[in-house]
Amino acid sequence: MKQLPPDTVRLLSSSQVITSVVNVVKELMENSLDAGASSMTLNWYSENYGLDRIEVRDNGHGIKAEDTRVMAVTHFTSKICSHEDLERLETYGFRGEALGSICAVAEVSVITKTEEDDISTQYTLDFTGEIVSQKPSHLGQGTTVSVLKLFKNLPVRRQYYSSTKKCKEELKKMQDLLMAYAIIKPDLRLTLIHNKVVVWQKAKVADHRSALLATLGASAVANLLPCHHHQEQPEIVLDGFFPKPGADYSSTSSSNPDKTFIFVNNRPVHQKDVTKLLRQHYTAQYRDDPARNRYPTAMLKITVPPSSVDVNLTPDKTQVLLHNKEALLTALEVFLVSLYGYRPNGDPPAEKQLGHETSPSPSSPLQTDVSQTENEESVERDGSLANHHGNFPKGASKHGDTALSTAIKTGSASKSPDRLEDNAASSADTSKDQISAEDWSRGTALTDPVSREPLQPVKIHQPARNNHSDEIKSQSSSDKKMFNAITEKRAALTAYDLISNRALRAPLSPAALFEKEARLEVLREKPTASLQEVGVTVHERWKNLREEDRKKYEEKAKKHLEHHEQRTKMASAEGPRETSRTPQRGQKRKTPLSNQQLLDQLFSAQPQKKMRSPAPKPSQPLPCSLAALRLQLQRLSSQSSAVPRGLRLVNRLASQSAWVILCGQRLMLLNPFRVEEALLFKRLLENNILPAVSLQNPIQLTDGVLGGADYTEALCNMEKQSPELNGGALFSDPRLVANGFKIQLTPGLTSAERHLEVTAMADCVPFLGVEDLREILTAVVHGKATTVQECRPLKVTNYLQGEAVRLARQLPTNLSRCDVEETLLRMDQQLGESNQTCIHGRAFLQHLCDIPSTDQEAKALLSLCT
């Protein structure tokens, strides 16, 4: 046997701690939280599926200068000193493996600054965690850890995560992780940035309820109740928010457990036993099968002494080992029973299912029998819910714990044989009463208890024929007259009832009357509130309404109901209207017969007209002499005109919106819109200024971002405004401003200390970014560009071309002769002879033919045309 090299040992152990992108983010976030950070930003770039760059920035205490030498060396930590400290652990990290394990599988750089430091320092680390190089940085207090080329020396794992599907999964896991810490840390500000776009963020809030509102939304939190439970021996405290009993499961649950948040001593964990118990008690109140496979939207915060928790169970610390697990599950069972009540007999109890995992003794408190006090408990529990408005522990301590403690004391030994036989008989009767799908489809599911024959769904009774048929007819007719649909309905079944062809509004409930008035008040107080926010506010106000005010609305609703019943009786007394009017109303809607015949004739004659041959268009031959045309064109070319370069307008082609011009001895066809397009584009390149919009997160500019120190120096030498009070100055160089960049410079004592950042950028150009700024600086450094036109990036140029086309299309289609002459004059002055094409590369002038110089050439041309 041979001992493995230290590098191999380090790689093998690190690859077990850092298994995915989410592991990297979790370890760095927990380090930031242990450093007392109140703000944290996660930058993740999808270059090479997110494996090439991950950055976590915080505003914590920072790393002291004397500790930076060993900050990434394995098993160096400031959290604990010995294994005895684990019994008093209050931090997330304690092993000293996170940063060292990341260094073993990636390239890591750390920028840190404490309150005592004057400037921040950037450290570059090698695969052993040792510092390779360091240099000053411009960032403020806190720590920024950048992870580059993750899994560079683990090709199989890097290939596993190199797919679009895995990239999306890791992004979703990151968001779930941030949501968990955002809920348990209300005073923490979190931001998730993916490819420079803010994907998710949460501001600093006051309490856990506000944190849930910021992460899950108002609609989900509106159906959650705050709960608290405290047990002294052993010491267990349960806090959280749970779905209201009887609430709609579609709004209080989901198909996966990503919205069931469980924390043990403020640490997000995955506890299968606790999740199963929560799910069983929540779903037991719903009889629908779809609800049984859902997970409740809930937050459970478990607080126990640190000495009774073993956190060092898995590398990612998402699973913990509890010393008093049975006592915790019992306390949670008591708490959930006081909230949701006991489950029916048909449901599998949680105690039996948990018994397979926890294997308690026969006298375990989990194996209880509470069916004797079920009815009493349900009555008392309803009263507790009504009295405490969701403060269930107080209500539970009054009656729920008493009943459960009685049942727990008796245990399974209190079950008598007679009672077991009764339970077996009742379960047999229940299974016997169940209807199978096969019996139901055959029609034999329901039988007559007397004859034992299947019940018939419909049985028609026909009266016997006798001499009293007239009486029967008269009686049926009288019954038909007395029938009224209004008398067969209740007022509360529908919102509107049709009474004598008049719409009658159903009476409003007290809550509806209050909502009608309260909605107006909420909208006056907050005009920008959404419908969802208004509904939640009105619902909260109705819950907190005083008793005397509530009675007023109940009296109003009672008056509405009396008025509705009175109108209903009046409509019933009138009876239905005569049916003879119905055909008259129907006949009025029909088209008159004469008009229908006329329409038939028109439509039937239309196809015949299409079949006829079109009439010949009138034409008249006109005399044409090419010799006379040649003389006229020669006379036109000898005339003086304001149009340059000997261009003479002949006439306009109305069908094509083009002009025939004479250029020397050639006839040309001019498209004036192409000329206007080119002139507009040239003017936009020279003078247009793209409007800049302020960025929520300014972009830091360094030598690496801009492409080198030469580019940074060229940028700093550009024209700037007068400095502000803090010493910062904005660039006013038109080459930057016209392209939509607003850059601020904060000078320092040296070139390394100066701070450059983009504070605003044009949003009208799609995907405009730092690479376009680099393109501007390239034109300045290498092309010696001094004008705005020479410094336009490709994206800006394409955008201005589209604007020129859009403006050219807004010109009138029929241009006058003066307008076309002015266009030709501007074409000669601004474009010159070198630029004779439009934006799309098409020529302004198209050659038609040459003017014949002699009569023989004119005759030859005429013979070719004929």
Side-chain angles (χ1 to χ4, degrees):
M1 298 177 67
K2 296 181 180 179
Q3 184 180 6
L4 292 175
D7 296 345
T8 305
V9 175
R10 187 181 298 108
L11 180 60
L12 293 176
S13 60
S14 300
S15 60
Q16 287 185 329
V17 178
I18 306 301
T19 59
S20 64
V21 179
V22 179
N23 285 128
V24 176
V25 175
K26 184 177 184 297
E27 296 292 345
L28 297 180
M29 284 184 64
E30 290 181 349
N31 284 344
S32 299
L33 292 174
D34 290 338
S38 61
S39 178
M40 197 182 308
T41 302
L42 168 62
N43 285 280
W44 188 44
Y45 299 87
S46 288
E47 300 171 1
N48 199 1
Y49 303 99
L51 299 176
D52 282 354
R53 187 176 179 186
I54 305 166
E55 182 181 278
V56 177
R57 179 178 300 176
D58 65 66
N59 63 345
H61 303 315
I63 305 174
K64 296 180 181 179
E66 56 268 21
D67 294 336
T68 55
R69 183 178 56 85
V70 292
M71 62 182 173
V73 178
T74 308
H75 305 309
F76 276 80
T77 180
S78 60
K79 314 296 173 60
I80 61 174
C81 297
S82 63
H83 69 277
E84 287 85 1
D85 294 338
L86 292 176
E87 297 183 357
R88 301 177 295 273
L89 185 65
E90 294 181 355
T91 58
Y92 289 101
F94 53 88
R95 288 195 294 248
E97 292 181 347
L99 207 53
S101 299
I102 297 174
C103 290
V105 295
E107 297 178 3
V108 180
S109 65
V110 180
I111 303 175
T112 185
K113 177 182 180 297
T114 62
E115 189 176 1
E116 293 78 15
D117 296 336
D118 296 330
I119 60 172
S120 59
T121 306
Q122 179 177 352
Y123 299 93
T124 304
L125 309 176
D126 62 2
F127 69 97
T128 62
E130 300 289 340
I131 298 175
V132 178
S133 63
Q134 67 181 68
K135 62 180 180 178
S137 178
H138 63 276
L139 297 183
Q141 179 179 341
T143 304
T144 301
V145 181
S146 299
V147 180
L148 309 177
K149 299 180 181 179
L150 184 62
F151 302 136
K152 61 177 182 179
N153 45 6
L154 298 172
V156 176
R157 191 170 299 180
R158 187 175 179 87
Q159 180 67 26
Y160 176 74
Y161 286 104
S162 296
S163 66
T164 306
K165 181 180 178 181
K166 283 294 177 183
C167 182
K168 292 180 180 179
E169 290 179 359
E170 292 297 301
L171 182 61
K172 177 64 170 59
K173 291 179 182 178
M174 284 186 200
Q175 188 171 349
D176 293 341
L177 181 67
L178 264 67
M179 286 176 65
Y181 285 109
I183 291 172
I184 200 63
K185 297 286 185 181
D187 56 346
L188 178 64
R189 183 181 182 273
L190 282 172
T191 306
L192 174 60
I193 301 176
H194 181 223
N195 291 340
K196 303 179 184 179
V197 178
V198 178
V199 177
W200 183 87
Q201 63 180 353
K202 173 248 172 189
K204 179 181 178 181
V205 294
D207 50 13
H208 291 299
R209 181 179 179 84
S210 302
L212 286 169
L213 280 170
T215 53
L216 301 181
S219 59
V221 180
N223 294 315
L224 299 182
L225 287 175
C227 302
H228 174 79
H229 180 85
H230 182 224
Q231 179 177 307
E232 295 183 356
Q233 192 63 30
E235 185 179 357
I236 298 173
V237 180
L238 303 177
D239 292 290
F241 291 81
F242 298 87
K244 295 179 181 179
D248 184 14
Y249 69 84
S250 61
S251 60
T252 57
S253 63
S254 59
S255 58
N256 45 46
D258 57 351
K259 290 186 180 180
T260 304
F261 300 96
I262 301 175
F263 304 92
V264 175
N265 292 353
N266 293 337
R267 185 186 301 273
V269 296
H270 301 301
Q271 289 293 109
K272 293 183 178 180
D273 296 342
V274 176
T275 304
K276 184 186 294 183
L277 200 60
L278 280 172
R279 186 182 181 187
Q280 287 173 348
H281 279 270
Y282 169 76
T283 57
Q285 58 182 333
Y286 302 105
R287 295 297 182 185
D288 298 338
D289 291 338
R292 297 302 179 94
N293 298 324
R294 298 178 69 87
Y295 295 84
T297 301
M299 172 215 170
L300 175 59
K301 178 183 175 184
I302 303 172
T303 305
V304 294
S307 58
S308 64
V309 182
D310 185 2
V311 184
N312 193 19
L313 192 63
T314 57
D316 57 357
K317 292 171 283 194
T318 58
Q319 297 181 19
V320 297
L321 193 63
L322 298 169
H323 178 64
N324 297 318
K325 183 178 181 182
E326 291 81 5
L328 171 64
L329 295 175
T330 304
L332 183 60
E333 179 85 4
V334 171
F335 173 69
L336 293 174
V337 166
S338 67
L339 178 61
Y340 296 113
Y342 298 109
R343 291 180 303 276
N345 295 331
D347 295 336
E351 294 87 345
K352 294 180 181 179
Q353 295 186 10
L354 289 173
H356 296 292
E357 299 180 9
T358 59
S359 63
S361 60
S363 60
S364 173
L366 290 180
Q367 296 180 352
T368 61
D369 183 16
V370 293
S371 60
Q372 292 179 349
T373 59
E374 181 174 355
N375 296 330
E376 298 176 3
E377 284 298 313
S378 62
V379 175
E380 293 180 359
R381 179 172 49 82
D382 294 340
S384 174
L385 291 176
N387 293 332
H388 295 280
H389 298 287
N391 194 2
F392 298 98
K394 296 180 181 179
S397 62
K398 290 181 181 180
H399 52 269
D401 294 346
T402 305
L404 275 171
S405 61
T406 304
I408 291 171
K409 288 177 183 178
T410 57
S412 59
S414 63
K415 295 184 180 180
S416 61
D418 297 337
R419 185 163 175 188
L420 290 174
E421 293 175 2
D422 295 340
N423 292 337
S426 61
S427 60
D429 295 340
T430 304
S431 60
K432 184 178 180 180
D433 293 339
Q434 291 181 353
I435 299 174
S436 64
E438 185 178 1
D439 292 341
W440 181 264
S441 61
R442 291 178 177 177
T444 59
L446 302 176
T447 58
D448 190 353
V450 179
S451 61
R452 297 298 180 180
E453 294 181 359
L455 293 178
Q456 299 296 327
V458 177
K459 192 171 183 180
I460 301 175
H461 298 275
Q462 295 183 354
R465 298 182 178 273
N466 51 21
N467 298 329
H468 300 285
S469 59
D470 296 337
E471 297 179 2
I472 294 173
K473 288 182 180 179
S474 61
Q475 185 178 358
S476 62
S477 61
S478 63
D479 292 341
K480 193 176 293 184
K481 287 182 180 178
M482 291 176 63
F483 174 79
N484 193 330
I486 301 301
T487 60
E488 302 297 327
K489 295 182 180 179
R490 292 185 179 180
L493 289 178
T494 57
Y496 294 90
D497 288 326
L498 195 63
I499 301 176
S500 299
N501 294 331
R502 296 191 304 271
L504 180 65
R505 190 182 297 273
L508 298 177
S509 62
L513 290 172
F514 173 77
E515 182 181 1
K516 191 174 181 182
E517 298 178 3
R519 288 178 73 90
L520 298 177
E521 297 178 1
V522 174
L523 289 174
R524 289 194 195 101
E525 296 172 1
K526 190 178 180 182
T528 59
S530 63
L531 293 177
Q532 190 176 14
E533 294 174 351
V534 172
V536 173
T537 306
V538 171
H539 182 66
E540 292 293 334
R541 291 188 181 182
W542 172 253
K543 286 172 57 180
N544 301 327
L545 194 64
R546 297 181 300 177
E547 289 296 332
E548 52 269 21
D549 295 336
R550 193 183 293 265
K551 288 181 180 179
K552 293 179 182 179
Y553 287 102
E554 291 176 355
E555 292 175 359
K556 288 183 181 180
K558 187 176 180 181
K559 292 180 181 179
H560 279 235
L561 180 60
E562 293 175 356
H563 181 64
H564 183 273
E565 291 177 351
Q566 186 178 1
R567 294 190 61 184
T568 303
K569 292 178 181 178
M570 292 173 58
S572 301
E574 293 177 3
R577 295 191 178 185
E578 298 178 1
T579 56
S580 59
R581 297 183 183 180
T582 306
Q584 295 180 3
R585 290 199 304 271
Q587 288 179 2
K588 288 182 180 179
R589 295 179 183 176
K590 292 182 180 179
T591 308
L593 185 60
S594 58
N595 291 349
Q596 189 66 38
Q597 292 178 353
L598 180 59
L599 290 174
D600 293 340
Q601 293 176 2
L602 291 175
F603 283 108
S604 62
Q606 189 173 359
Q608 297 178 1
K609 290 184 179 180
K610 289 184 179 179
M611 296 300 294
R612 297 177 184 174
S613 59
K617 296 181 179 180
S619 61
Q620 183 178 0
L622 295 176
C624 179
S625 174
L626 287 178
L629 178 61
R630 178 171 57 83
L631 294 176
Q632 290 289 341
L633 292 175
Q634 289 176 354
R635 191 182 301 112
L636 180 63
S637 60
S638 62
Q639 294 177 359
S640 61
S641 175
V643 179
R645 294 189 289 118
L647 298 177
R648 299 292 183 270
L649 293 178
V650 177
N651 208 339
R652 182 174 67 91
L653 296 179
S655 60
Q656 303 296 330
S657 298
W659 283 77
V660 178
I661 65 173
L662 179 64
C663 182
Q665 297 296 318
R666 294 182 300 169
L667 282 178
M668 311 285 288
L669 192 63
L670 171 68
N671 189 335
F673 298 100
R674 295 180 181 176
V675 182
E676 290 290 348
E677 197 176 86
L679 292 172
L680 285 170
F681 176 59
K682 185 176 184 299
R683 188 172 65 185
L684 291 174
L685 280 178
E686 296 174 351
N687 305 321
N688 188 67
I689 299 177
L690 300 180
V693 179
S694 298
L695 298 176
Q696 186 177 7
N697 297 312
I699 301 174
Q700 309 296 330
L701 299 178
T702 59
D703 294 347
V705 172
L706 294 177
D710 297 340
Y711 292 87
T712 307
E713 195 65 29
L715 177 61
C716 295
N717 292 333
M718 288 187 176
E719 184 181 352
K720 294 177 283 291
Q721 297 179 359
S722 56
E724 299 177 356
L725 295 177
N726 58 359
L730 291 174
F731 285 90
S732 60
D733 195 293
R735 293 172 291 182
L736 298 175
V737 177
N739 289 311
F741 288 97
K742 186 178 180 181
I743 303 175
Q744 186 176 12
L745 169 65
T746 303
L749 298 177
T750 61
S751 60
E753 296 179 1
R754 64 189 175 192
H755 180 52
L756 285 167
E757 63 179 8
V758 181
T759 59
M761 194 183 300
D763 60 350
C764 56
V765 180
F767 307 106
L768 188 69
V770 180
E771 61 273 8
D772 302 288
L773 177 61
R774 194 184 304 124
E775 191 175 341
I776 297 173
L777 297 177
T778 302
V780 173
V781 173
H782 300 289
K784 307 299 180 184
T786 57
T787 63
V788 175
Q789 185 176 1
E790 295 172 339
C791 294
R792 293 288 189 184
L794 180 60
K795 294 177 185 176
V796 178
T797 303
N798 294 335
Y799 168 76
L800 295 178
Q801 284 182 354
E803 288 295 300
V805 173
R806 183 179 63 83
L807 294 173
R809 290 179 178 177
Q810 297 177 1
L811 296 174
T813 55
N814 297 324
L815 298 176
S816 62
R817 180 181 288 269
C818 297
D819 294 336
V820 178
E821 289 180 352
E822 182 185 358
T823 301
L824 290 175
L825 183 61
R826 287 188 289 117
M827 179 184 71
D828 183 66
Q829 294 175 351
Q830 300 180 21
L831 300 180
E833 296 184 2
S834 59
N835 189 3
Q836 293 293 311
T837 58
C838 69
I839 295 175
H840 308 92
R842 298 170 183 171
F844 299 149
L845 301 173
Q846 298 290 339
H847 179 259
L848 291 179
C849 65
D850 295 332
I851 300 175
S853 57
T854 60
D855 294 340
Q856 289 77 8
E857 292 180 0
K859 292 179 180 178
L861 182 62
L862 181 62
S863 62
L864 290 175
C865 294
T866 55

